[in-house]
Amino acid sequence: MPLGLNIERLNTKDNDLKYENIKDKLNGKKVVLSIGRFVEYKGFEYLVESAKYFKENTILVIVGTGPLFGKIEEMIKRENLNDKVILTGKVKNINSFLSKCDVFCLPSISRNEAFGLVLVEALYFGKPLVTTNVEGSGMNFVNIDNFTGFVVEPRNPKALAEAINKILSDEDLYKILSQNAKKRFNEFKIEAIGDKIINLYKDILI
């Protein structure tokens, strides 16, 4: 039984202050967004490395903080990716970022990524997804390969970049994936999940 999402939490329209601080850098760019805690299983180092292979009009934004934040920050400097990757740190309103990005990517490398509720939030905004094929994770359940986005092998920066570039360079493909994302979200509405739980209990008790 998947997690459900109340859409009321996604209707905040005010921009986060940190989004306001970086929006000039994002102007005219295709934005790849990732959100999460900076810990090893999130695989952010592979996503940052993938930025080397992005097309020139594409920029990566990672929202969050954690023990590996400094390590990723140093990696960006070392690889001269300051113009391709932005780290925002912790933000108050992720909706500002989710609603305005073009693609959402979750590059996790282990089943510690049990589900990825943020993927469902991205579906609500009609964002194509790029995720990794991690056995035992719910990511593949949320993101249906070639329907709501693409699923690639973990720890593979080039595969991440190829999937992202493919989505962003094909307008027709983008529209199809975006429409499918919105359709897919309906299956995660809190009302739909609530009905499933009620029906399950009825089946068990009868």
Side-chain angles (χ1 to χ4, degrees):
M1 194 70 67
L3 298 173
L5 194 63
N6 185 345
I7 62 174
E8 292 301 318
R9 63 179 284 188
L10 301 174
N11 287 332
T12 304
K13 301 195 181 296
D14 294 336
N15 278 347
D16 187 272
L17 179 60
K18 289 191 176 179
Y19 181 85
E20 290 293 326
N21 290 339
I22 67 169
K23 69 178 183 179
D24 288 343
K25 293 182 180 180
L26 306 182
N27 188 35
K29 302 280 189 178
K30 298 290 186 180
V31 178
V32 179
L33 177 66
S34 196
I35 298 172
R37 184 163 165 75
F38 279 66
V39 290
E40 186 175 357
Y41 78 83
K42 286 292 185 181
F44 284 143
E45 65 267 37
Y46 302 102
L47 182 56
V48 169
E49 187 175 348
S50 78
K52 295 178 183 179
Y53 311 106
F54 287 178
K55 294 191 175 181
E56 286 301 317
N57 67 335
T58 306
I59 194 166
L60 170 63
V61 177
I62 307 179
V63 173
T65 187
L68 297 183
F69 185 92
K71 179 181 178 181
I72 298 297
E73 199 171 35
E74 285 300 317
M75 178 184 178
I76 293 167
K77 293 176 182 177
R78 184 175 67 252
E79 300 292 339
N80 295 315
L81 291 170
N82 294 290
D83 293 332
K84 299 289 288 184
V85 184
I86 295 174
L87 305 183
T88 68
K90 187 177 181 179
V91 304
K92 291 184 178 179
N93 176 19
I94 64 169
N95 298 347
S96 300
F97 296 86
L98 282 168
S99 63
K100 296 177 176 65
C101 74
D102 295 286
V103 171
F104 187 85
C105 181
L106 202 58
S108 303
I109 60 173
S110 83
R111 63 184 298 174
N112 285 352
E113 190 66 76
F115 185 78
L117 188 60
V118 70
L119 294 174
V120 178
E121 293 172 328
L123 290 178
Y124 170 78
F125 290 104
K127 306 305 177 180
L129 305 177
V130 174
T131 57
T132 46
N133 185 21
V134 175
E135 185 177 354
S137 169
M139 290 188 294
N140 288 359
F141 175 75
V142 179
N143 182 27
I144 302 174
D145 193 30
N146 287 299
F147 184 75
T148 53
F150 293 117
V151 178
V152 304
E153 289 307 304
R155 297 183 173 88
N156 192 328
K158 286 189 176 180
L160 289 169
E162 286 172 4
I164 289 165
N165 289 335
K166 184 175 182 179
I167 293 171
L168 294 178
S169 61
D170 187 331
E171 290 185 10
D172 291 334
L173 173 64
Y174 189 92
K175 288 178 182 177
I176 291 170
L177 295 177
S178 179
Q179 290 169 358
N180 290 343
K182 291 177 181 178
K183 292 176 185 176
R184 179 70 171 142
F185 173 78
N186 289 327
E187 299 181 41
F188 296 96
K189 284 182 179 178
I190 193 68
E191 297 86 358
I193 301 303
D195 288 342
K196 287 183 180 180
I197 293 172
I198 290 170
N199 290 333
L200 177 62
Y201 275 112
K202 286 180 177 178
D203 290 341
I204 293 171
L205 294 174
I206 295 174

